[in-house]
Amino acid sequence: MLAVITTGPASAPIDEVRRMTNFATGEIGALLAEALAARGFQPILLRAHGATHTQVPSGALLHEFTTNQDLAVALQNLAETRAAGIRAIFHAAALTDYTVTAVQGPDGCLLDSPKIPGHLPRLHLVLEPSAKILPLLREWFPQAWIVGWKYELTGSGEEAADMARAQLTQSHCDATVLNGPAYGPGFALLEDKQPPSHYPTKRELAQILASRAEAFAKSDK
């Protein structure tokens, strides 16, 4: 049984030495890989280069990526070569919502230098929405149990839960993990037509997700 885990913060290049990125340590990916390996899975850990938690649990296969596109290519390659054996996907990576499509100087002119001068008084970044990966996973891995993540910073806990439920439907995943200040401490696991279940720590969350993945894999044989 194979399980794929995406984790850590993707980045979007501004030039060849600067980038935009997100806050994410990659710790949940390592904990998931450890819990899944203990239940008989071969974890494939797709971890962003910017992750600060660099532990690779015994038995896990590591592939590092930088941008959203890097990750999409790695997942497509897995879909083409190993989809039949992949029983679970955990899409926990913090991807960039926007891609830098142009950099403009103070006068509005385009800057395309490998290293934009550091003395300019002002820069304008032109951003466009990045393509979402989560909605593509069902097509790529039709036989897998798919879990997405939803991090909400503002609003009420109820509003955050509504957004997590919407993701379930819109992205065709089987479960969504909700966390962030809007939810509060810990994590919620939401599944279709089921009340949310709460887990105080990353380790407890990883254990329950691995257990659910094992149950799905065994029931689908």
Side-chain angles (χ1 to χ4, degrees):
M1 299 185 297
L2 300 174
V4 176
I5 306 153
T6 75
T7 191
S11 61
I14 297 171
D15 58 18
E16 293 185 13
V17 298
R18 302 178 180 92
R19 62 186 180 180
M20 299 191 311
T21 189
N22 292 323
F23 292 103
T25 65
E27 181 184 14
I28 188 63
L31 292 172
L32 274 167
E34 180 181 4
L36 288 160
R39 291 181 176 272
F41 284 90
Q42 168 72 77
I44 301 174
L45 188 61
L46 304 180
R47 189 181 70 198
H49 281 288
T52 56
H53 191 92
T54 57
Q55 175 193 0
V56 180
S58 177
L61 301 177
L62 175 66
H63 176 90
E64 292 190 303
F65 70 93
T66 301
T67 66
N68 292 18
Q69 183 60 28
D70 293 339
L71 178 59
V73 169
L75 288 166
Q76 285 181 294
N77 287 339
L78 286 172
E80 292 170 1
T81 59
R82 310 189 75 175
I86 293 173
R87 312 307 300 129
I89 308 274
F90 301 92
H91 187 41
L95 301 187
T96 54
D97 291 322
Y98 295 93
T99 300
V100 180
T101 58
V103 183
Q104 299 174 348
D107 57 358
C109 65
L110 292 177
L111 303 175
D112 59 0
S113 170
K115 183 178 184 295
I116 297 167
H119 64 271
L120 298 175
R122 184 179 298 105
L123 291 176
H124 298 277
L125 302 183
V126 180
L127 308 179
E128 291 185 359
S130 302
K132 302 293 185 183
I133 289 179
L134 183 60
L136 302 174
L137 295 179
R138 177 58 63 200
E139 178 183 350
W140 293 343
F141 304 97
Q143 298 177 325
W145 188 62
I146 299 173
V147 183
W149 258 250
K150 190 68 174 169
Y151 180 89
E152 288 300 323
L153 190 64
T154 61
S156 68
E158 184 176 343
E159 289 170 335
D162 287 342
M163 296 184 74
R165 290 189 186 95
Q167 180 175 273
L168 279 173
T169 302
Q170 295 165 2
S171 298
H172 307 289
C173 49
D174 298 291
T176 292
V177 174
L178 171 64
N179 69 313
Y183 174 69
F187 304 85
L189 179 62
L190 295 94
E191 299 174 85
D192 188 35
K193 299 178 182 178
Q194 299 292 328
S197 52
H198 175 77
Y199 302 94
T201 68
K202 291 179 182 179
R203 186 171 295 278
E204 289 172 289
L205 174 66
Q207 291 294 332
I208 193 64
L209 288 174
S211 173
R212 295 299 306 278
E214 180 186 30
F216 172 84
K218 289 182 176 178
S219 69
D220 197 48
K221 287 184 178 181

